[in-house]
Amino acid sequence: MDKSSALAAFSALSQPTRLDVFRLLIRAGKAGMAAGEIAEALDVKQNTMSANLSVLHQAGLVHSTREGRSIRYAANLDATRGLIAFLVEDCCGGHPDQCQPLLKEIAC
């Protein structure tokens, strides 16, 4: 991930509802959730949710799949890993052993 993509991701996540959506989709895993389910789970109006999902999609943090009249969203785990890797790329001044507590904490 480059700096521009990381900034787009951080910008998308800097709004409370979008951060909640992203964290919900991380918990949902690869199966993701339908847009209506996300809106209901977070008690957000459907049109507001659509706008927030669009921002997350444009930042590359989620991907979508059409299922009939519904759209299912899931966290883009490759982009998430890329963002985390970007953040810790130069971790611990070249001493990767010092990063082990952090890596253990974020490992699934």
Side-chain angles (χ1 to χ4, degrees):
M1 177 168 287
D2 62 17
K3 186 187 243 181
S4 178
S5 298
L7 287 170
F10 287 126
S11 178
L13 295 172
S14 69
Q15 195 272 350
T17 300
R18 290 193 295 265
L19 182 58
D20 290 344
V21 168
F22 184 70
R23 295 187 74 209
L24 179 65
L25 290 175
I26 290 288
R27 286 191 299 276
K30 290 182 181 182
M33 297 176 72
E37 293 173 322
I38 298 168
E40 187 176 313
L42 297 176
D43 194 28
V44 176
K45 293 179 185 176
Q46 295 248 350
N47 61 340
T48 301
M49 184 54 64
S50 292
N52 284 311
L53 286 165
S54 177
V55 172
L56 290 168
H57 191 270
Q58 289 173 350
L61 293 170
V62 301
H63 53 85
S64 61
T65 306
R66 180 162 290 282
E67 294 179 343
R69 293 175 27 196
S70 178
I71 300 176
R72 180 168 291 275
Y73 290 88
N76 182 340
L77 298 179
D78 289 335
T80 304
R81 281 189 285 276
L83 182 59
I84 292 168
F86 176 82
L87 288 172
V88 298
E89 185 175 322
D90 300 317
C91 180
C92 303
H95 302 301
D97 54 307
Q98 294 178 5
C99 293
Q100 287 307 311
L102 171 65
L103 297 176
K104 285 180 182 177
E105 189 171 328
I106 63 174
C108 294

